[in-house]
Amino acid sequence: MKIDAWWFENKQHPEEVLQTDWAVPKTHFGIYAEAEKLTCPLTLCVTAKFNESKNYYREFQINDYKEEKDSYTVDASENLLNFECIVEDVTGLPEEILVEIKSKEGEYSERISCEYARLHGKITDFDGNPFPAPLLLARIGFAGGAFMGVWSNKNGEYSVVVPKGCYNTFYVDDNSYGKTTLENWSWHMIVDRDEEHNFKVGNGEVYSLCVWANNGGSSTLFFWFRPMILPSIKKEEYEIELEGEKRQVLDISPELRAEDITVTLNGEPLPVISLQRIYETASTYTMPAYIVQTKRYNGTPSTGKQTVILEYDTAKRGGEQYIARSQGRYQYFYKDGSALVLQ
C-alpha cells in the first residue's frame, strides 16, 4: 500500500482574508492511500507528533466511500482513499505523522516525516498591477473544502509555509473568476525547497499544461495545453469529424499564433519552433488545444529541478478583435543528463 500524509497550518488572521466568500485557507491534515482493495467499513488512525512530545491522535470510522462530516471529508473508491480533516484548534507543525488503516483486507501503517518549505512572491495582472488573490494548493486532484494556501495582501504579495511534496495544482484567482478573469494554473509542482513564484492573472487559462522530451533526432521539448478564454469574449459551437466520427466542439479557445507564445525554462527563454492546433476529446465535449515545440534549452543544459512558465499574450499583435492573456507553469526533473526522460 502507498500512503502519503501532510499537515498544513493556516496562520492568517480573518482580517487578512480579503474575500471571505471566495476561499478561506484552513488548518488541516490530509491522507492519501492506494491499495489493491479497500473495503468499507474501515478504521483510520492518525497520530501527529510535535515538538516537546505534544501529540495529536484521532480514530475515524469510515463507513462509506463518500462521507462528509463537520470536520472531515472522505472521497474514496475500492482502491483509493483521499481524506481531509480540519484541525483548527491545533497549533504548530508536526514532525511526523503516523497513519494506520485497518480493513478486512488487512492492516497497513506508514510513518511520514514532515518537512516544510516557504513559497513567496507577487500576484499581478499582465500590465504589472497588483492583483490581490489567494494562492491555493491541491496535493491530490483539485482543492476542496479544506484549502491549503494563503491570501496575498493588497499589493499582491504573499508568503506561506507548506508541506514539502508533489502537488497536482496551484490555483490563483479571486471572485472576479468567470466575470473579468480566469485562473492562473500551475501543474505538477514539486515543493522541495523555498521558492519564489510570481503569478500573472489574465482573462484566459493555460489548462492542463504538461511537457515531454523529444527522444528522436532533435533536442526539443513539447508542451501540451488547452487554452481557454472568458466565454463572454468567445464561445462557439460547431461540428467536426475526427477519425470518421462526428463530434460537437465547444470552442472557448483563443486563436493563438507562435508569436503570442513565450516559454521560459528556469527564467531563460526557450526558442519556439512551432505551434500546432489539435483537439482534446472527451465523452461530453471536444475542445481545441495546442502543442508547442521548443528547443530543449537555450545555451548550457541545466540539471536538477526544471521550472517551465508558458504564457500567451495576443496584445503584442495589435489591431485584433480581442486580447487573450494567461500564464501557466510546470515542474519536472530530467532523469539523466541526456534528458531522454522527464520525471
Side-chain angles (χ1 to χ4, degrees):
M1 173 178 279
K2 171 187 174 182
I3 299 177
D4 186 23
W6 57 94
W7 189 290
F8 170 74
E9 182 183 19
N10 172 43
K11 291 189 174 183
Q12 283 198 300
H13 298 293
E15 60 269 18
E16 295 178 288
V17 177
L18 302 182
Q19 298 167 359
T20 56
D21 63 329
W22 184 242
V24 180
K26 296 180 179 180
T27 298
H28 69 280
F29 65 83
I31 308 293
Y32 177 77
E34 297 178 4
E36 290 186 8
K37 190 172 181 65
L38 278 174
T39 302
C40 290
L42 61 84
T43 302
L44 172 66
C45 301
V46 178
T47 305
K49 295 186 177 182
F50 295 76
N51 286 325
E52 301 175 355
S53 301
K54 181 180 79 172
N55 288 346
Y56 166 92
Y57 174 82
R58 187 170 173 184
E59 180 178 300
F60 303 87
Q61 297 296 325
I62 299 174
N63 298 308
D64 199 350
Y65 292 125
K66 307 288 182 182
E67 289 185 355
E68 186 169 349
K69 306 292 186 180
D70 290 338
S71 63
Y72 68 86
T73 58
V74 180
D75 185 4
S77 65
E78 289 189 354
N79 56 3
L80 296 176
L81 172 65
N82 192 13
F83 181 91
E84 291 182 344
C85 181
I86 297 171
V87 285
E88 292 192 294
D89 57 336
V90 181
T91 59
L93 293 170
E95 298 176 336
E96 178 186 274
I97 300 174
L98 171 63
V99 180
E100 300 170 280
I101 299 175
K102 304 172 185 178
S103 70
K104 74 175 187 178
E105 285 78 30
E107 297 185 8
Y108 313 90
S109 65
E110 189 78 31
R111 291 183 183 273
I112 292 96
S113 296
C114 300
E115 298 181 42
Y116 305 91
R118 174 177 171 259
L119 304 179
H120 66 100
K122 191 169 184 179
I123 304 169
T124 68
D125 63 18
F126 269 73
D127 294 317
N129 302 307
F131 188 94
L135 164 64
L136 305 177
L137 292 77
R139 186 84 161 219
I140 304 295
F142 296 90
F147 289 115
M148 193 183 327
V150 68
W151 268 88
S152 76
N153 61 22
K154 292 182 179 180
N155 297 319
E157 300 160 336
Y158 74 90
S159 176
V160 63
V161 173
V162 300
K164 289 185 178 181
C166 187
Y167 289 76
N168 182 53
T169 58
F170 289 2
Y171 172 107
V172 179
D173 203 0
D174 70 350
N175 62 11
S176 65
Y177 167 78
K179 303 167 189 172
T180 58
T181 65
L182 291 176
E183 58 267 61
N184 179 304
W185 287 103
S186 303
W187 304 90
H188 193 257
M189 298 299 290
I190 307 165
V191 178
D192 60 352
R193 67 197 76 171
D194 295 351
E195 282 189 331
E196 179 179 354
H197 291 287
N198 297 310
F199 302 100
K200 295 180 184 178
V201 177
N203 61 359
E205 296 180 31
V206 176
Y207 196 75
S208 201
L209 176 66
C210 62
V211 57
W212 69 96
N214 177 14
N215 292 336
S218 60
S219 181
T220 60
L221 292 172
F222 288 97
F223 302 88
W224 183 96
F225 71 103
R226 172 157 55 83
M228 291 186 280
I229 195 169
L230 286 166
S232 59
I233 297 175
K234 180 189 177 185
K235 182 178 180 181
E236 300 175 0
E237 296 185 38
Y238 51 87
E239 187 178 82
I240 62 170
E241 186 173 301
L242 289 177
E243 301 299 327
E245 182 178 347
K246 293 183 178 181
R247 292 186 175 271
Q248 290 297 124
V249 177
L250 173 60
D251 188 344
I252 53 174
S253 171
E255 296 285 343
L256 300 179
R257 304 173 188 170
E259 66 195 74
D260 304 326
I261 306 294
T262 301
V263 182
T264 60
L265 179 64
N266 303 326
E268 296 295 325
L270 290 178
V272 175
I273 298 170
S274 67
L275 176 69
Q276 303 170 56
R277 194 170 189 259
I278 60 171
Y279 288 95
E280 177 190 355
T281 61
S283 58
T284 57
Y285 63 82
T286 294
M287 301 182 78
Y290 285 90
I291 294 178
V292 180
Q293 185 179 11
T294 73
K295 290 187 177 181
R296 189 168 293 175
Y297 51 85
N298 189 4
T300 304
S302 59
T303 58
K305 186 168 68 173
Q306 311 292 302
T307 300
V308 167
I309 297 178
L310 187 151
E311 295 182 5
Y312 60 80
D313 186 353
T314 65
K316 295 178 290 185
R317 297 188 210 164
E320 295 296 321
Q321 183 179 4
Y322 59 82
I323 292 174
R325 292 168 153 178
S326 189
Q327 180 198 74
R329 71 198 64 212
Y330 186 99
Q331 291 184 323
Y332 62 91
F333 283 88
Y334 289 128
K335 181 178 180 295
D336 51 52
S338 59
L340 295 181
V341 178
L342 307 180
Q343 60 182 10

